[in-house]
Amino acid sequence: AQSVTQLDSQVPVFEEAPVELRCNYSSSVSVYLFWYVQYPNQGLQLLLKYLSGSTLVKGINGFEAEFNKSQTSFHLRKPSVHISDTAEYFCAVSHFGANAGKSTFGDGTTLTVKP
Amino acid sequence: NAGVTQTPKFQVLKTGQSMTLQCAQDMNHEYMSWYRQDPGMGLRLIHYSVGAGITDQGEVPNGYNVSRSTTEDFPLRLLSAAPSQTSVYFCASRDRGAGELFFGEGSRLTVL
């Protein structure tokens, strides 16, 4: 079975400071990895994804994430956050093969950027 | 592009009532799924489909039914609503490849 653990439920940070949101996953098979963002009262939208290749992936709004296979982690980073980055962030894995229709999400991390 | 369209956006039910949440996508995606979102619990998979005529259960399927008669539509039926089904429901779709999920805007359901 696959599982996703987001290690921080809430991350408060001051504007222009760097931030890291941590995500670990567990899977017996290969998966694809994603970070989604949810702004208040909206659906989720993709920030970035790792399918294969370079372990450092860049996404929208200046976010990037690094896939670490040995540590089964996919942490999200941004060097300087803005007030507008305040949102909920979800790490997710998508399966393929026999479970191709499924995606598993972490519980989410609420990022609050303070002025 | 409309993407993934969910209706209704808000609904209030009484315990025991039934209803259907509608979901339609116009991207010709093979995979569609329903999630519920509850505070502090992320998104939990209710049911999913890998193509017309094929559905399967997810993590929390009890009390819900789905069908997939066309590629575009994937309705979620609540058979006899219970207060525990108060939640925000999201429909999502993706293509067969390694694509990301595309989400609807959500349907907020309250069961009294």
Side-chain angles (χ1 to χ4, degrees), chain A residues 32 36 38 49 95 100 103, chain B residues 35 37 48 94 98 100-101:
Chain A
Y32 301 130
Y36 293 88
Q38 184 181 33
K49 61 185 176 184
H95 316 292
S103 295
Chain B
Y35 293 85
Q37 183 180 24
Y48 67 101
R94 71 176 177 95
E100 71 270 25
L101 288 168

Side-chain angles (χ1 to χ4, degrees), chain A residues 32 34 36 38 41-46 49 51 88 90 94-108, chain B residues 31-33 35 37 40-43 45 48-50 57-58 90 94 97-106 108:
Chain A
Y32 301 130
F34 302 84
Y36 293 88
Q38 184 181 33
N41 299 313
Q42 295 186 24
L44 282 74
Q45 57 184 279
L46 181 73
K49 61 185 176 184
L51 306 181
E88 183 128 25
F90 292 94
S94 280
H95 316 292
F96 45 91
N99 292 311
K102 295 183 176 181
S103 295
T104 302
F105 286 79
D107 289 346
Chain B
Y31 299 159
M32 296 187 73
S33 49
Y35 293 85
Q37 183 180 24
M41 301 183 74
L43 277 76
L45 182 64
Y48 67 101
S49 168
V50 297
Q57 296 181 351
F90 287 99
R94 71 176 177 95
E100 71 270 25
L101 288 168
F102 290 81
F103 286 86
E105 292 186 352
R108 185 175 295 273

